[in-house]
Amino acid sequence: MALPRKQCSSAVKMCGSATVAQRHHIGLQQLEAIAATTHGFLGPNKRPKFIQNEDARDAMLVSSCSRLLECIELDGSVGQLLLETVQAQQKLFHSGTGVLVFLAGVWGRVALECLNRGITVLDIKTAMRKGLEVCLEVCKQSAVGVEEVSCLKLKDCKPTSALKSVIQDTKMQHMDVKHSQNLRLTLKHSRHFNFHDAQTENTQKALNDVTHIAQAVSHGCDSSMRLVLKACKLQSKNTENAQNRCLDIQKLVTCLIPGRSEEKSCVLHGFVTLLSVEQASVVQRLQGQALNIALVNGDLCEKYRHVGFNRPGNVVHITDHANMSGVSLEERWIEDVLRKLHEFSIDVVLVSGTAGAKLKDRVLGANVLVIEGVKNSVLKDFSTCTSAVPVSYVTQIDENCVGQGVTVSQQRDFSGKNDLVAISIVTASTSLVTAVISSSVSAKLQSLEDQFWSCAHRLHQALTDGKLLHGAGTTELLCIQQLHQSKQTEMENPQEGVVLELMAEAWMDYVSTLMMNSGSVGSKAEAWTAIAHQMRHYKDAISRDADGAGVYDNVTVKSEAWRRALDLVFLVLQSDTEIITGVSEGENVYRELMYL
């Protein structure tokens, strides 16, 4: 992908006495240019992009920074550093990548402007670190508890159409609980009924709280958040600690089914996956029975060796044949596997890796269901619920490794393209649930799955943190206010105020882009005017009229995204500086640079 490169016209003075004439910080310019391509992903009204893969002759609809950066060709170290930073954020939180990339671009522009004004690299880094600390302190002071958010959503905010059905179902269940309590008034002295009623009421209250918190962090993805709430409700039904309102991400999986409308998406109990017609025929013969299960953590093939395995150095490989009769090592291994499966009456094998093609064909005739690519969290859940012990090699299986009490069934209401059939694997005590995500547009499935995981992690993080930040740019406006106030205080270095002012302008750029993407303004100029007007109403706290229109963000996710963005800018700034100045060991300027 060709990236535009802006040119710096003035000489840059940095690192004390080191002066660079007519040199360009290409890395910072590239960072800003790449970040500019993702501005359409900010806010609830995202502008998706179609990415066409000429080699595979297909296309993908992307609506997140992480997917876009993975799909495009990023030449150079700056693009790779940005991609790795975004992937680290995405892997941990599944959200916050949009603000990370945007801030990396605008803060890179701030650093570049500071260099053009003759501010040293050390002063830039010191002032920008102080600016970040000011913003993080704003987050700490302005965060609100999730209980308060739940009460505010209950009193002030009207639910969207997609979430309204979930809230109505919750209210109806609460009425049923009250009705059942009235019918049992004559038994109110029984400690058993009192305990049951209290537990049911606590569970219902927890679900009510989660529903309103989910509405606050849905960020416009109401359909995906509706699935998350249904998953949370299913988990609460199948767990001993039902009154605990936390969503268990580790017991949540997805199954993508193309060719069906998005309205058919739902949440099912257990592990749901797509299988071929041949494998589905095995399910038909096994359903309705209590089955034995084995768990394999790795690949199910003869040549697989676990991580850390070292082959003996003094062994020379001669032939693939075990003897002169022509039986290969793979064939003999398959016979050993089938003998093991038959010996312990194993009906289902879950494999975290891949299975050999020949083995898959042979187990079909033995009525054994082998499922590949199972997440480790799913293996762990089945291990807990069935007492099965995961093994690295199927030949290690003994009677202590086999789990019991598994049932399989076909989901006849769901069928994908290419003759794929949906099946479910369930145990009685599992709280594992699967979100079945469908779409008539195959290119949109990946985007819908990303939305679901983003909603699930935002809700999970909100319940884990116990507090939220006002969204829709409200917290960022407070950061602008605090940066302006910090600039007015006495400073040892007068250039620090210049850097803080530029950081405040970067936040203005972020909020104005957010307002434009949400459709509240038509241009950047109109957005800046609205921001200036709004700032006049901000004193020391957030007013009820400026609470982000009922939108909230995660504290930890936002703070970590800001830190990663600034660290990336400093890393690119240091790399550019070393390239331009040719810093060598022993020079005084070397101590001013950031070490990895």
Side-chain angles (χ1 to χ4, degrees):
M1 178 180 179
L3 299 175
R5 296 182 176 181
K6 299 181 180 179
Q7 301 296 323
C8 300
S9 57
S10 60
V12 179
K13 177 184 177 182
M14 55 186 171
C15 298
S17 60
T19 304
V20 182
Q22 301 299 327
R23 300 291 182 91
H24 309 298
H25 282 258
I26 302 299
L28 293 175
Q29 298 170 35
Q30 289 180 339
L31 185 61
E32 182 184 358
I34 298 173
T37 64
T38 67
H39 287 185
F41 297 147
L42 278 182
N45 302 326
K46 295 177 174 58
R47 297 197 296 271
K49 299 179 184 292
F50 261 111
I51 304 297
Q52 185 173 357
N53 189 339
E54 296 180 355
D55 297 332
R57 296 181 180 274
D58 63 356
M60 179 186 296
L61 187 68
V62 298
S63 56
S64 66
C65 296
S66 58
R67 291 296 178 188
L68 178 65
L69 295 178
E70 287 174 358
C71 293
I72 62 178
E73 295 181 3
L74 294 172
D75 298 330
S77 59
V78 173
Q80 291 301 317
L81 284 173
L82 178 60
L83 175 60
E84 291 176 8
T85 304
V86 168
Q87 287 177 335
Q89 176 80 11
Q90 180 71 11
K91 182 179 180 180
L92 188 60
F93 299 111
H94 284 262
S95 62
T97 56
V99 63
L100 191 161
V101 177
F102 190 99
L103 290 181
V106 294
W107 282 348
R109 188 176 66 214
V110 168
L112 197 59
E113 179 62 25
C114 291
L115 291 170
N116 290 337
R117 297 189 183 189
I119 303 176
T120 66
V121 172
L122 181 60
D123 289 340
I124 292 172
K125 289 160 59 177
T126 302
M128 293 189 75
R129 281 198 188 98
K130 180 178 179 180
L132 178 61
E133 291 173 1
V134 169
C135 296
L136 293 177
E137 184 63 24
V138 168
C139 292
K140 182 179 178 180
Q141 297 296 329
S142 62
V144 293
V146 291
E147 292 82 4
E148 182 181 349
V149 172
S150 180
C151 293
L152 289 174
K153 299 297 291 184
L154 180 63
K155 293 178 181 178
D156 301 335
C157 299
K158 296 181 180 180
T160 58
S161 57
L163 291 174
K164 189 179 295 183
S165 60
V166 179
I167 296 176
Q168 288 294 335
D169 291 343
T170 307
K171 288 182 178 179
M172 290 300 295
Q173 291 173 5
H174 187 62
M175 291 175 63
D176 291 340
V177 171
K178 290 293 185 182
H179 181 64
S180 62
Q181 289 175 352
N182 292 333
L183 292 178
R184 290 196 294 267
L185 283 176
T186 56
L187 299 173
K188 64 181 180 180
H189 296 293
S190 170
R191 66 180 184 275
H192 302 290
F193 275 99
N194 285 340
F195 173 77
H196 175 76
D197 291 344
Q199 188 180 38
T200 306
E201 191 169 3
N202 288 337
T203 303
Q204 197 59 48
K205 183 178 183 299
L207 288 174
N208 280 333
D209 291 342
V210 170
T211 301
H212 293 113
I213 296 168
Q215 185 183 352
V217 296
S218 63
H219 290 191
C221 303
D222 297 328
S223 298
S224 296
M225 188 59 81
R226 176 177 56 85
L227 293 178
V228 174
L229 284 173
K230 289 185 176 181
C232 186
K233 182 179 176 181
L234 265 181
Q235 285 185 347
S236 66
K237 283 183 177 179
N238 296 280
T239 183
E240 296 178 358
N241 191 16
Q243 63 268 26
N244 187 357
R245 64 184 181 182
C246 287
L247 174 69
D248 194 345
I249 294 291
Q250 297 302 318
K251 295 186 178 181
L252 187 61
V253 292
T254 55
C255 178
L256 305 183
I257 299 183
R260 294 169 55 87
S261 64
E262 295 180 26
E263 289 75 15
K264 300 290 182 66
S265 299
C266 64
V267 176
L268 299 176
H269 181 222
F271 175 59
V272 180
T273 187
L274 292 178
L275 298 180
S276 64
V277 175
E278 293 78 13
Q279 289 176 300
S281 63
V282 177
V283 174
Q284 285 183 332
R285 293 191 287 269
L286 295 177
Q287 61 185 358
Q289 308 174 38
L291 307 175
N292 294 337
I293 188 172
L295 309 176
V296 178
N297 190 10
D299 292 339
L300 190 58
C301 60
E302 187 271 331
K303 294 185 179 297
Y304 170 75
R305 299 296 182 269
H306 63 274
V307 176
F309 175 81
N310 295 319
R311 296 181 181 274
N314 58 348
V315 175
V316 180
H317 183 74
I318 302 298
T319 177
D320 283 336
H321 294 85
N323 52 48
M324 299 306 293
S325 63
V327 179
S328 66
L329 290 175
E330 183 181 11
E331 289 291 338
R332 191 171 69 171
W333 175 81
I334 291 175
E335 293 297 332
D336 292 340
V337 171
L338 293 175
R339 192 179 305 111
K340 279 281 185 181
L341 297 177
H342 177 73
E343 179 182 356
F344 298 106
S345 302
I346 296 173
D347 307 293
V348 180
V349 181
L350 300 185
V351 185
S352 64
T354 60
K358 291 184 179 180
L359 177 64
K360 288 194 293 184
D361 292 337
R362 294 286 297 276
V363 296
L364 290 177
N367 284 338
V368 176
L369 184 63
V370 175
I371 300 179
E372 309 170 85
V374 181
K375 293 172 60 176
N376 287 327
S377 59
V378 177
L379 293 183
K380 183 178 179 181
D381 182 75
F382 275 99
S383 175
T384 303
C385 297
T386 66
S387 300
V389 179
V391 296
S392 297
Y393 307 97
V394 71
T395 51
Q396 294 175 326
I397 293 177
D398 57 23
E399 63 274 5
N400 297 320
C401 299
V402 181
Q404 299 175 342
V406 174
T407 59
V408 297
S409 61
Q410 281 193 24
Q411 299 294 328
R412 299 185 182 276
D413 294 336
F414 303 96
S415 60
K417 291 183 178 180
N418 303 323
D419 297 326
L420 295 177
V421 180
I423 66 104
S424 64
I425 306 176
V426 183
T427 63
S429 59
T430 183
S431 57
L432 181 71
V433 296
T434 302
V436 180
I437 301 173
S438 59
S439 176
S440 56
V441 182
S442 299
K444 195 178 179 182
L445 275 173
Q446 187 67 71
S447 179
L448 291 174
E449 185 185 27
D450 291 342
Q451 282 185 15
F452 172 82
W453 283 116
S454 181
C455 288
H457 279 267
R458 279 200 300 269
L459 178 58
H460 172 76
Q461 196 65 48
L463 298 174
T464 302
D465 292 343
K467 52 188 177 180
L468 290 168
L469 291 172
H470 292 276
T474 304
T475 301
E476 288 76 10
L477 289 177
L478 289 175
C479 291
I480 296 172
Q481 180 194 32
Q482 291 300 316
L483 287 172
H484 284 160
Q485 291 181 359
S486 299
K487 184 189 66 173
Q488 295 171 0
T489 60
E490 293 185 5
M491 300 178 182
E492 296 180 1
N493 189 344
Q495 293 179 329
E496 190 174 292
V498 177
V499 180
L500 295 181
E501 176 64 29
L502 291 174
M503 289 188 73
E505 291 181 3
W507 280 124
M508 294 275 283
D509 194 5
Y510 172 82
V511 177
S512 61
T513 303
L514 202 62
M515 294 174 67
M516 284 187 61
N517 290 354
S518 64
S520 57
V521 295
S523 64
K524 279 288 185 75
E526 185 180 349
W528 279 59
T529 303
I531 293 171
H533 177 74
Q534 187 68 40
M535 292 296 296
R536 298 192 190 100
H537 299 284
Y538 279 22
K539 299 300 180 183
D540 297 326
I542 301 175
S543 65
R544 285 297 305 275
D545 296 332
D547 65 349
V551 180
Y552 292 84
D553 295 324
N554 296 118
V555 179
T556 304
V557 175
K558 179 166 283 192
S559 302
E560 191 62 27
W562 294 359
R563 288 192 183 97
R564 291 180 193 269
L566 191 60
D567 287 344
L568 178 61
V569 170
F570 285 168
L571 185 57
V572 176
L573 175 61
Q574 172 181 323
S575 301
D576 280 355
T577 303
E578 290 180 345
I579 292 171
I580 294 173
T581 61
V583 174
S584 60
E585 188 174 0
E587 295 186 17
N588 293 331
V589 295
Y590 197 73
R591 58 184 173 82
E592 298 181 349
L593 300 179
M594 182 177 68
Y595 291 88
L596 294 179

